[in-house]
Amino acid sequence: MPPTEAEVAALRLYATEAARNSYSPYSHFRVGAAILLQADQRQDGAIVAGTNVENASYRLTCCAEQSAIAAAVTLYGPEIRIRAIAIVNLNGAASMPCGACRQTLLEFSTQETAVFYPNADGETVSATLAALLPDAFRLATE
Ligand code: THU
């Protein structure tokens, strides 16, 4: 089920709060992400947020989306499923999830997982993860 307007507003609020804690002394790009978990089992429709955490060895940087996923698994366990995620930044810029984050989101997504992000015009737009990551890699073992 797609998130309601109120749920998206809550996600954006949580993401904005998380972005205030961004550790981004190198890029100064302050990103926040908030995940709405499916309301079943232990997940309880909870919202879990994360921010980007950079490193002097640049490639060790953790994106906001990945921080949020790590926090959600830590809090709710390996069975989590993402109903929706909102991404924001405090720089007034576009903020679509990077390719690595799309693959990371896929791990815990469904066919319906919705991604909300600001586009270049400053509007919040939404897309399914399936649309953002077509023909995605999936590990096929026997
Ligand atoms: N960043 C994210 O947090 N999420 C993305 O999907 C793209 C990039 C962060 C990483 C780095 O701290 C800063 O934005 C600039 O790339």
Side-chain angles (χ1 to χ4, degrees):
M1 195 184 14
T4 63
E5 264 181 44
E7 284 171 327
V8 175
L11 285 176
R12 297 187 67 233
L13 203 67
Y14 275 77
T16 302
E17 278 306 306
R20 293 189 208 287
N21 285 338
S22 169
Y23 178 73
S24 43
Y26 307 105
S27 74
H28 306 288
F29 194 56
R30 300 165 76 195
V31 189
I35 289 171
L36 177 63
L37 296 175
Q38 274 189 5
D40 55 8
Q41 298 168 338
R42 300 173 49 213
Q43 303 172 34
D44 201 23
I47 293 177
V48 184
T51 190
N52 56 329
V53 181
E54 297 188 344
N55 191 279
S57 178
Y58 292 176
R59 72 187 182 88
L60 299 183
T61 290
C62 192
C63 286
E65 298 89 326
Q66 294 177 29
S67 295
I69 289 168
V73 173
T74 303
L75 288 169
Y76 293 97
E79 306 296 332
I80 61 158
R81 281 291 167 270
I82 297 170
R83 207 172 126 215
I85 178 167
I87 302 148
V88 306
N89 68 74
L90 303 186
N91 299 63
S95 220
M96 50 292 283
C98 76
C101 285
R102 294 177 197 203
Q103 185 73 36
T104 308
L105 286 164
L106 179 73
E107 196 77 17
F108 301 99
S109 73
T110 69
Q111 276 301 105
E112 294 188 335
T113 299
V115 184
F116 293 81
Y117 57 92
N119 68 10
D121 297 326
E123 299 157 346
T124 299
V125 295
S126 78
T128 62
L129 184 64
L132 292 176
L133 193 63
D135 206 15
F137 171 74
R138 293 174 196 273
L139 185 62
T141 52
E142 49 179 296

